[in-house]
Amino acid sequence: MTTTSLLLVARAPALVEDVPVPAIVDGTPLVIVRHGEQVSVFHGLCPHQGSLLADGEVVDGHLVCPGHGWRFDCASGRRDAGTRACLHRFTTHLVDDDIAIDADELQAFHAQRAGSAAATRRFDSLPGPHGLPLVGNLFQLRETDQHLVMEDWADEYGSMYRIRLGAYRILMVADPALVEDAFKRRPDTFRRMSTVEGIARGLKAAGVFTAEGDEWRRQRKVVVQALTHGHLKHFFPTMMRIVARLQRRWEQAADEGREIDLLDDLTRFTIDVTSTFAFGQDLNTIEGHEGALERQIGEIPKALSRRVTALVPYWNYVKLPADRTLDRALVGIHDTLGRLITDARRRLAEDPGLAARPGNYIEALVAQSDGGGFSDEDVTGNVMTLMLAGEETTARALAWLIHFMCERADLRDMLRAESDALLGDDELLQDFATHPRMVRIEAAALEAMRLKPAAPVLRLEALHDTVLGDVEVPARTPVFLLTRHASIRAQAATGAAAFDIERWIKADGSALDAGSAKAFFPFGAGPRFCPGRFLALLEIKGVISMLCRNFELERAGSGPVEEKLVFTMRPDNLVIRLKRRAGTPPAA
């Protein structure tokens, strides 16, 4: 071996003990860890679901995956004693102050991972539903329940089948192992459909959610740092003040005997939380203080839903009334965010110490981005991404969980017992350190998201000719992942269609079982695991513990609660009635 066969991965003086450092060498993600006197270079993806290990942390000599908490020894890469899972550890070489690995070893690692998989089936040989000339299966899919039709087709035609929507020939995947494989092979083999990125850019809402390739890597580093545990801990008291506001709204409804449109109330809550977290302005929609910005932001999900399902980008040629309303909303949003970003830069210039204790997401993004080529447009896109994710996904996850609580008395009793035990005499969660102990509430949230995910269909496309399973996938082929169907198939032997939080909890009941997350994708999987998942789970724990501690609940209204896909999957016709628990005083 000569120095010419070595590949530089890091500079030794730049390594800080117990701080994981990412690197990409020859397209391979790596993570470098210095623990004590030893420096280790590992493959950078967790063998569980492919999360980026450099986004994790080192605890007690173990590198902890940010996805589901798998722990790997910093010296050997081995997971817990007695298990076979292990990170590949590359032989490290110190040349002057450079940490390097051997190019031949990396090539051998690539060859081993590639294996001998080869296509045995052509795309055109796959089964699928018959369609019409020109339009294919387009008229067999309705916008709001297309996911149900696609899942029915998976039952009929198998875990890999094909459909056609106009000119698009689409590979449908419901096999859990192949869904997970596709997640892990992002962003270099599969990407979000390019039409989605184009639509987001047209809305000037392109952030880490829609970015791809090197652009995604650049943005993700900044966004992850802006959503750290420390920033969430700093924000926690503010979030709980908004939970208290929701509690007062529900107390008033209970005292008046009024029915509650649950999704509307929860959307107000998540808008208030995300607006305050994002740019330090509490819109206070819970108390009816709806302003122009809230109405303007509300136009974005509607536009995304219309445009993602459109066969042609008609808005580039003809503006319908809804498109003109959207254009006016975008002008208002970007004027507001532009002022907020300018103000954040001014505050950081006046007080450089603010970079270590930012008051909101914009300040955190600006602080992380200064000198790193992160533009105001990048900040705007990621703030809008956070607003949309908060309003859409977290509100719907909460609504579906409360729906299951209405249906299951045993679930209500279990979550109430945990809330009572952890909150004591308090009506709300007061201590940030308590939330990790809400094991059953988190397990219930995960189970609700497993059965009622915000995105039951994820639309990707192949960047180049590749193979998925045993099927050849030509470049630019759309690949639709049926994530909910895959999850239920993966755990069919355990009664996967039933709501059961015990599947998520260790046998002794002490903690979540990270290994239970097989084929479960509400926050994605692979390198693009959602960086905002901890904020979402913190909101869910705050609201559910408040609800259990203070109220009795029951379903109101009549008729079934139905799934309706409007950009994300929402519950339709979900109305509840609340009653104060015995011992709670009426509102003054």
Side-chain angles (χ1 to χ4, degrees):
M1 181 187 68
T2 65
T3 55
T4 58
S5 68
L6 295 179
L7 300 171
L8 174 67
V9 297
R11 296 277 296 166
L15 298 179
V16 178
E17 184 169 9
D18 289 345
V19 176
V21 174
I24 296 178
V25 177
D26 194 21
T28 303
L30 305 174
V31 59
I32 303 100
V33 180
R34 176 186 167 194
H35 181 68
E37 298 301 317
Q38 184 168 4
V39 174
S40 300
V41 179
F42 299 113
H43 182 231
L45 301 183
C46 180
H48 178 214
Q49 284 194 349
S51 297
L52 284 171
L53 291 168
D55 288 348
E57 59 182 344
V58 174
V59 178
D60 297 330
H62 288 80
L63 177 60
V64 182
C65 173
H68 301 98
W70 281 29
R71 296 163 59 92
F72 302 92
D73 183 80
C74 284
S76 66
R78 185 170 299 279
R79 197 181 166 221
D80 303 331
T83 65
R84 299 177 62 184
C86 187
L87 298 178
H88 181 90
R89 185 179 187 277
F90 292 91
T91 303
T92 57
H93 304 272
L94 182 63
V95 181
D96 296 327
D97 284 335
D98 293 337
I99 303 293
I101 62 173
D102 183 65
D104 292 337
E105 183 182 357
L106 182 61
Q107 185 176 3
F109 174 73
H110 283 165
Q112 180 185 21
R113 284 175 58 82
S116 58
T120 59
R121 291 191 289 172
R122 293 176 56 84
F123 175 88
D124 290 335
S125 71
L126 293 175
H130 294 293
L132 297 173
L134 298 180
V135 297
N137 306 106
L138 179 65
F139 295 138
Q140 295 165 272
L141 297 173
R142 293 181 298 274
E143 179 181 345
T144 58
D145 66 355
Q146 58 183 271
H147 63 296
L148 298 175
V149 177
M150 292 174 178
E151 290 175 344
D152 287 343
W153 282 341
D155 289 334
E156 181 176 355
Y157 297 107
S159 60
M160 297 186 80
Y161 66 95
R162 61 183 174 88
I163 65 172
R164 185 166 62 86
L165 301 179
Y168 292 103
R169 302 186 313 152
I170 300 168
L171 173 63
M172 307 296 297
V173 182
D175 180 277
L178 298 182
V179 169
E180 185 171 334
D181 184 37
F183 272 116
K184 289 181 178 180
R185 292 164 66 187
R186 297 176 69 194
D188 297 315
T189 301
F190 295 102
R191 57 161 291 162
R192 201 177 303 277
M193 285 190 68
S194 53
T195 52
V196 175
E197 183 180 8
I199 290 168
R201 290 196 179 280
L203 299 175
K204 297 183 180 178
V208 71
F209 177 76
T210 55
E212 296 291 343
D214 291 340
E215 176 70 11
W216 167 77
R217 293 184 179 95
R218 180 180 68 86
Q219 291 201 30
R220 181 179 175 84
K221 180 179 179 180
V222 176
V223 170
V224 166
Q225 290 300 313
L227 286 164
T228 62
H229 181 273
H231 291 161
L232 295 183
K233 183 177 181 180
H234 178 74
F235 178 68
F236 173 75
T238 300
M239 187 197 82
M240 291 311 300
R241 285 196 292 272
I242 300 173
V243 174
R245 185 189 302 158
L246 179 63
Q247 178 187 353
R248 292 193 296 272
R249 180 181 177 91
W250 283 355
E251 286 172 342
Q252 184 176 2
D255 294 343
E256 296 173 357
R258 176 165 41 86
E259 294 180 352
I260 295 171
D261 181 338
L262 183 62
L263 186 58
D264 179 72
D265 275 15
L266 293 173
T267 299
R268 291 171 184 269
F269 165 75
T270 54
I271 287 174
D272 289 355
V273 169
T274 50
S275 66
T276 307
F277 182 80
F279 41 80
Q281 288 193 7
D282 183 354
L283 297 180
N284 195 5
T285 63
I286 290 176
E287 294 180 338
H289 300 167
E290 298 179 25
L293 184 60
E294 187 274 332
R295 291 192 298 272
Q296 291 161 353
I297 290 173
E299 293 297 322
I300 305 295
K302 293 185 286 186
L304 284 170
S305 183
R306 288 194 306 270
R307 295 184 176 186
V308 165
T309 56
L311 283 182
V312 294
Y314 70 86
W315 53 90
N316 290 334
Y317 311 102
V318 178
K319 295 286 188 181
L320 301 179
D323 299 301
R324 290 192 288 271
T325 299
L326 172 67
D327 288 344
R328 291 191 294 271
L330 289 174
V331 170
I333 291 170
H334 289 96
D335 283 349
T336 299
L337 292 182
R339 290 195 300 272
L340 292 169
I341 292 169
T342 299
D343 289 345
R345 293 196 186 281
R346 175 183 52 77
R347 289 192 298 272
L348 285 161
E350 293 173 351
D351 180 7
L354 191 61
R357 44 178 176 78
N360 55 62
Y361 188 55
I362 282 183
E363 288 182 354
L365 287 177
V366 171
Q368 288 292 324
S369 64
D370 279 350
F374 206 70
S375 67
D376 285 2
E377 183 179 351
D378 294 330
V379 175
T380 297
N382 281 290
V383 170
M384 291 183 67
T385 295
L386 180 69
M387 290 296 298
L388 292 172
E391 177 181 346
E392 289 284 313
T393 60
T394 308
R396 282 147 177 72
L398 272 165
W400 281 118
L401 174 52
I402 295 172
H403 163 66
F404 284 116
M405 291 170 63
C406 289
E407 299 291 314
R408 297 275 303 270
D410 60 332
L411 177 63
R412 293 197 301 273
D413 292 343
M414 188 182 305
L415 301 188
R416 176 182 297 164
E418 181 173 78
S419 300
D420 288 350
L422 293 176
L423 299 189
D425 294 332
D426 295 323
E427 296 181 352
L428 299 171
L429 179 62
Q430 300 290 340
D431 187 353
F432 182 80
T434 301
H435 88 85
R437 297 163 57 196
M438 293 183 164
V439 173
R440 282 170 175 75
I441 292 178
E442 183 168 347
L446 294 175
E447 183 70 348
M449 287 186 280
R450 185 183 71 86
L451 293 173
K452 303 291 186 180
V457 183
L458 183 66
R459 296 167 170 83
L460 305 180
E461 70 180 45
L463 285 166
H464 50 76
D465 292 348
T466 188
V467 175
L468 188 59
D470 63 347
V471 175
E472 63 177 24
V473 184
R476 299 188 63 81
T477 297
V479 179
F480 286 12
L481 307 180
L482 302 181
T483 56
R484 192 249 304 265
H485 195 273
S487 175
I488 292 176
R489 285 171 61 96
Q491 301 190 43
T494 63
F499 190 99
D500 179 12
I501 73 170
E502 296 302 327
R503 75 176 81 246
W504 297 100
I505 301 174
K506 290 183 177 180
D508 63 4
S510 63
L512 293 177
D513 181 2
S516 297
K518 181 180 180 181
F520 174 61
F521 312 108
F523 296 113
R528 297 196 62 139
F529 202 65
C530 174
R533 60 198 176 277
F534 297 125
L535 175 59
L537 288 170
L538 189 63
E539 292 178 68
I540 290 170
K541 291 175 182 178
V543 170
I544 296 300
S545 60
M546 175 273 287
L547 174 63
C548 291
R549 187 72 182 87
N550 296 280
F551 298 99
E552 305 279 357
L553 77 151
E554 63 181 5
R555 170 91 192 283
S558 59
V561 175
E562 297 181 334
E563 299 175 359
K564 186 174 182 180
L565 193 63
V566 182
F567 186 54
T568 56
M569 191 175 79
R570 56 174 287 174
D572 198 37
N573 192 35
L574 181 51
V575 180
I576 65 169
R577 185 179 292 108
L578 296 178
K579 183 172 67 174
R580 289 174 181 262
R581 284 183 64 183
T584 58

